Amino acid sequence: MTYAAGRRLRVAIAGFKLESVTFLPNLTTLADFQAAECSGIKLIDEHRGANTPVGGFIAVCEREGVEMVPIVYAEVGAAGPASDEAFDHYLGRILDGLKDVDVDGVLLDLHGAMTTPTRMDAEADIFAAVRRQVGGKTRIMAALDYHANLDESTLLDADAAFGYHFSPHIDQAETGERAAQCMVRTLRGELDPAWAIVKPDLMVPSIFSATSLEPLAGLVQDSIRVARDCAVYLDVSVFAGFSYADVPNCGFSVLAVTDGDREFARKTATGFSNTIRDSRPAFSHGELVLGISEGIAQAVRIAEHSSAPVVLLEHADRMGDSTYLLREVVARQLGRTAVPFLWDPQAVAIATTAGIGAQVRLPVGGHSSERAGGAVTVEGKVVFAGPKSYHVTGPYYTGRLANLGDTVVIDAGFLVLSITSRQFVAVDEDCFTQFGMRASEFDFIVLRSKTHFRAVYESLAAAIVIVDTPDWGPADLTTLKYVHVALDRTYPFSDAA
């Protein structure tokens, strides 16, 4: 469809995101999504200038004079599957926002690894429902997370899709701009997008999906270079997939978008997919992952000869409440240690009631499942208690509003622990500066992230010591009981492979 010069384009914008850990026993509820929901003009205000795909959508639309129709945005990070109630509610909100509205295109900010109890590919259902609502002529495009689980059926009703290039996801806004720019050029008749997706049959634990690790580092840079240097329009997205979702399309995929040439798209995607398949053994970095005792011993050795903090990474945590390293910190009293953004609403309530200045002794963390490590008793002084929100300054979610809900900070001398009532992962220095501290004040910092912390802590820390624990995001995927994944074919790092 080509539009007459001078006609102002109208594009609807919506986002609904969750990275579903299907092994977790608890569902992500409607209330969980509503806690961070924004809609209408507030959607524009909250995301303008932020490192989010919607921020990228907005930047292009405002630059190109495109009228935006903001509908709704709701996001939870990594958690259990969305309840069907939550899914139906937000899909309904998106569809209602598209009723009786004359738009030329729809830009969606989705994750690509959402499930519900009745859906193993929730994004496919979103695309299909939006397509039914707007008809065949309205263009539908999406920005997707680098950890999306995709196949051709996922994107069947989309005109094009674009994934983050990097993990840490420092290019979320840039990804939104890629999607929005393709949308604008398509609506102006300059492009007729065609896409192809190819899967190399490979899964990796998230800790090995960092794009600073080889062979991913070179592979991703090659995908960007090939697209940039191509004589015709080409966009290439390499998706690592999300291995903690037990779904048939779990794992790596490569998506190429071209100007009307589906065979060129397929050839391009196949080339990168073959490179991934041929490099399978190189994706394992088991030498980087240590057991708890071994990891702590190594961190202590490094700290003895360094003035910068050592990061102890409890990477298998999925809900922000793992306590395996916290238990060791309390038992051993290693040195001045920070454990930021532990998620425990009940502990927050108890400490808040006690008030600033009170000495408290309370169980914290380990409540999300039987694999989270169980509660650890912490005793210390409450030095902060109250609601906490701020705009992120780090490179992962720059400019985005972080709402921690009621939050407390407990100082136990050898340990400083911040506890939040809403989940938010500590990946930059905001978790310190927002409470008048700096990371450099500590000997050890316990983080519960996979890759996103690297954008700040690779340069800030003396070393990063990756510690494996029995939580739901392990380095060894064979410890999880998959039903829908052919693990023997897609995961080459076990002894049985």
Side-chain angles (χ1 to χ4, degrees), residues 288-304:
L288 301 178
V289 180
L290 304 176
I292 296 173
S293 296
E294 185 184 5
I296 290 176
Q298 178 168 307
V300 169
R301 288 195 298 270
I302 295 170
E304 289 175 349

Side-chain angles (χ1 to χ4, degrees), residues 36-55:
E37 174 194 308
C38 58
S39 59
I41 191 63
K42 188 178 178 182
L43 185 157
I44 303 297
D45 292 339
E46 283 201 9
H47 287 266
R48 181 184 283 113
N51 181 34
T52 65
V54 171

Side-chain angles (χ1 to χ4, degrees), residues 123-171:
E123 281 80 7
D125 289 349
I126 293 173
F127 284 125
V130 171
R131 176 59 70 200
R132 288 192 297 269
Q133 181 67 41
V134 301
K137 293 184 179 180
T138 301
R139 298 292 190 163
I140 301 171
M141 298 185 189
L144 299 169
D145 195 283
Y146 165 80
H147 292 106
N149 290 323
L150 308 171
D151 57 23
E152 190 163 315
S153 63
T154 310
L155 304 175
L156 199 58
D157 290 291
D159 290 285
F162 306 82
Y164 312 159
H165 288 311
F166 300 112
S167 189
H169 301 331
I170 57 175
D171 63 328

Side-chain angles (χ1 to χ4, degrees), residues 13 43-44 47-48 53-63 68:
I13 294 175
L43 185 157
I44 303 297
H47 287 266
R48 181 184 283 113
V54 171
F57 296 165
I58 295 166
V60 170
C61 288
E62 291 186 333
R63 185 167 65 241
M68 293 175 283

Side-chain angles (χ1 to χ4, degrees), residues 52-234:
T52 65
V54 171
F57 296 165
I58 295 166
V60 170
C61 288
E62 291 186 333
R63 185 167 65 241
E64 299 292 340
V66 175
E67 181 182 353
M68 293 175 283
V69 180
I71 300 176
V72 67
Y73 183 95
E75 178 183 6
V76 175
S83 68
D84 284 314
E85 177 193 22
F87 181 87
D88 292 341
H89 174 86
Y90 282 104
L91 179 56
R93 293 274 297 277
I94 294 170
L95 299 180
D96 286 345
L98 293 169
K99 283 181 181 177
D100 304 319
V101 175
D102 181 20
V103 294
D104 305 306
V106 181
L107 285 169
L108 296 172
D109 181 3
L110 306 174
H111 185 282
M114 182 190 292
T115 68
T116 80
T118 62
R119 301 172 180 86
M120 287 192 286
D121 192 347
E123 281 80 7
D125 289 349
I126 293 173
F127 284 125
V130 171
R131 176 59 70 200
R132 288 192 297 269
Q133 181 67 41
V134 301
K137 293 184 179 180
T138 301
R139 298 292 190 163
I140 301 171
M141 298 185 189
L144 299 169
D145 195 283
Y146 165 80
H147 292 106
N149 290 323
L150 308 171
D151 57 23
E152 190 163 315
S153 63
T154 310
L155 304 175
L156 199 58
D157 290 291
D159 290 285
F162 306 82
Y164 312 159
H165 288 311
F166 300 112
S167 189
H169 301 331
I170 57 175
D171 63 328
Q172 293 183 68
E174 292 177 18
T175 305
E177 290 197 28
R178 285 158 53 208
Q181 197 63 57
C182 183
M183 174 70 79
V184 171
R185 292 186 64 188
T186 299
L187 295 178
R188 288 176 175 166
E190 300 169 13
L191 292 177
D192 182 19
W195 57 264
I197 187 167
V198 181
K199 296 186 72 67
D201 287 334
L202 176 66
M203 293 167 58
V204 296
S206 293
I207 193 67
F208 298 158
S209 70
T211 51
S212 60
L213 297 175
E214 294 292 355
L216 270 170
L219 185 75
V220 168
Q221 289 297 337
D222 284 347
S223 72
I224 295 169
R225 177 186 53 78
V226 165
R228 182 193 63 219
D229 295 344
C230 190
V232 295
Y233 177 81
L234 174 65

